[in-house]
Amino acid sequence: MRAQQVQFHPLSEKHALEQVVRELSRHEPADAIGAAGPWIDSLVGSPDLGPNECARLLFALDEASQAPARNCVELYLAARHKSASERKRLWALTHGFWSMVLEAYADLLIMHAAEREPSARSFLAQLAVRAIRAGAQRAKWDAFRHGPIDDVVWARLNLAYRVAARSGVERESVRLRADRDATTSVEREYLRAVALHSLGPDQLDADRLELASRLVHYVSPRLELNSRPGTTTLYWVDLGHTLPPARMMQVPQQIVQGLFFSGASATLALHELLELVSAGNVPAGLLLQHDAGNTAGLSSVLSHMIRVWSNDAPLRRYRRHPVPGRLLVAMGLQEFSLRLGSEEHGGLLRDWSMRDASTHGVGVEAPEGDVDEVQLGMLLGMHSSDGNRWRVGTVRRLWRTAKGCNQVGIELLGNEPVGAVADDGAQRVKIILLDPLRRGLPVRVILPLSARSERPLYVLGQNRTVKLLPLPEREYGLDHEIRSYLFAV
């Protein structure tokens, strides 16, 4: 990048920059991010700085903010169990920080792209690496609240890779910190961003998305990003455009500069890791600090990654049909159980718009006020606005679109749920039967997480008590467990 005459900026003096970096290290994580923001903002478009000097200062502030930014992730995830207002504050602060950093790097990349004289290879490689890292963080914080991920994010990510590839530095090793031996590259950072995107952020809550991010780093040496499609290609992206990676259903015909992603080679390592986790041997750094004892969450993410990155692209077995109409929704196991028992004692029914439906799923749009309460894995009871036959489902997808729509994907669990009371040997619990009770046949039962589902269950009726024996099949939701039982003969 061509040198420009540098005038004066407060951080251009070495001692001033070092002092700011020291002060940032003394702050609490959120305070450090808040303090770094104005300094970064002062660099963007400053007439007192040439691009090289601006990049040098931005690199230093970015690096000084890495540890506080990582800690803000843990604080944000932990705040789910404490304060909604604190969670929103942390999200706005950290999301705003990464938005600012990404735009600062984008300005430098655009200036570089317009220059006729080439920049030093090491400088350009570091600029592109840091830009991609900032873009990946911005996308992750967007996904923490179920989107939308602004189109500008992938426009910036694609620009960074494209600029690096034009100069042939996309695979050049970059050491971001002089005191560490670890290196990375433009290709590696971009590959990680594509890999996380391929896992479907609309299917992962914030905790599981962060776990997925860590697991992507763990298996990144086995992930593939190629210039041509292969038999295991899952996603593709055109660097010549601003769109995010897309599932490859067929080989695209017109591509300006294509890259093709596959995670198939990582599935064996993920299977091995899943076996370790199931045995209680979890590698350091994978679990979340606020939930360090929860290996079930890590196992569920590993299973999800194995399923998504398998060789076969998922096929929709049942066609979706547009179905306009309204759905009245009871949110959560407790509220729906009350509705099944006596509608008079149920809570508020939510009024949602139907979009489409298939044999085993329903797509709806929820109002903004409701979608803030919806969580992946939550149980929902629902019926049409002009009927009273309940159906029950669970939230599988949740996404805010750029057009302001709040889309909820619901997997149907049963069309004729029946509420009942059962004794698990220690307490009476309200349950929901998904299948008819027939001697000698299995029946799926929805129970609260507090129930002792590993023991026989006694369903209490007016005239008789039915004994159900637990079967191995079980599945956990946000507020419930679905377990199969056998109606004892």
Side-chain angles (χ1 to χ4, degrees), residues 24 26 83 102 141 153 168 210 223 244 295 384:
L24 292 177
R26 299 189 187 107
S83 167
L102 177 60
W141 278 90
V153 174
E210 176 59 23
L223 303 177
T295 58
S384 62

Side-chain angles (χ1 to χ4, degrees), residues 296-308:
L298 184 61
S299 295
S300 72
V301 176
L302 283 164
S303 299
H304 175 75
M305 295 173 73
I306 292 167
R307 183 170 62 253
V308 172

Side-chain angles (χ1 to χ4, degrees), residues 75-84 87 207 290-291 375:
L75 291 172
Y76 173 78
L77 298 177
R80 177 167 63 91
H81 306 287
K82 299 176 182 177
S83 167
R87 189 173 170 88
D207 280 14
H290 77 279
D291 203 15
Q375 298 183 59

Side-chain angles (χ1 to χ4, degrees), residues 58-93:
L58 183 56
F59 290 171
L61 292 171
D62 180 6
E63 194 57 47
S65 303
Q66 289 293 321
R70 285 193 298 271
N71 288 332
C72 279
V73 172
E74 290 284 359
L75 291 172
Y76 173 78
L77 298 177
R80 177 167 63 91
H81 306 287
K82 299 176 182 177
S83 167
S85 60
E86 175 64 9
R87 189 173 170 88
K88 288 182 179 179
R89 185 187 74 86
L90 281 167
W91 185 88
L93 178 69

Side-chain angles (χ1 to χ4, degrees), residues 182-245:
T183 62
T184 186
S185 68
V186 171
E187 184 177 72
R188 188 177 305 167
E189 295 299 328
Y190 189 85
L191 170 61
R192 289 171 177 168
V194 174
L196 189 60
H197 178 87
S198 75
L199 294 174
D202 61 339
Q203 302 174 56
L204 300 170
D205 59 24
D207 280 14
R208 295 201 301 157
L209 182 64
E210 176 59 23
L211 289 172
S213 177
R214 298 179 185 190
L215 288 167
V216 165
H217 279 254
Y218 189 85
V219 299
S220 60
R222 299 174 183 265
L223 303 177
E224 299 177 38
L225 193 66
N226 301 307
S227 58
R228 293 185 178 182
T231 56
T232 62
T233 296
L234 295 175
Y235 274 76
W236 69 280
V237 62
D238 190 344
L239 297 172
H241 295 282
T242 61
L243 297 176

Side-chain angles (χ1 to χ4, degrees), residues 435-444 467-469 471 484-489:
D435 305 305
L437 289 172
R438 296 193 178 103
R439 289 186 181 277
L441 295 179
V443 55
R444 293 170 300 145
K467 182 180 180 180
L468 301 180
L469 301 176
L471 297 173
S484 292
Y485 290 84
L486 183 66
F487 188 165
V489 178

Side-chain angles (χ1 to χ4, degrees), residues 366-401:
E368 187 65 30
D370 289 350
V371 81
D372 287 337
E373 300 179 43
V374 178
Q375 298 183 59
L376 290 167
M378 175 181 280
L379 194 76
L380 301 177
M382 62 204 121
H383 67 70
S384 62
S385 58
D386 57 354
N388 56 12
R389 183 170 71 91
W390 285 104
R391 293 188 293 173
V392 61
T394 186
V395 178
R396 292 303 186 200
R397 297 177 183 270
L398 179 59
W399 198 249
R400 292 178 168 92
T401 70

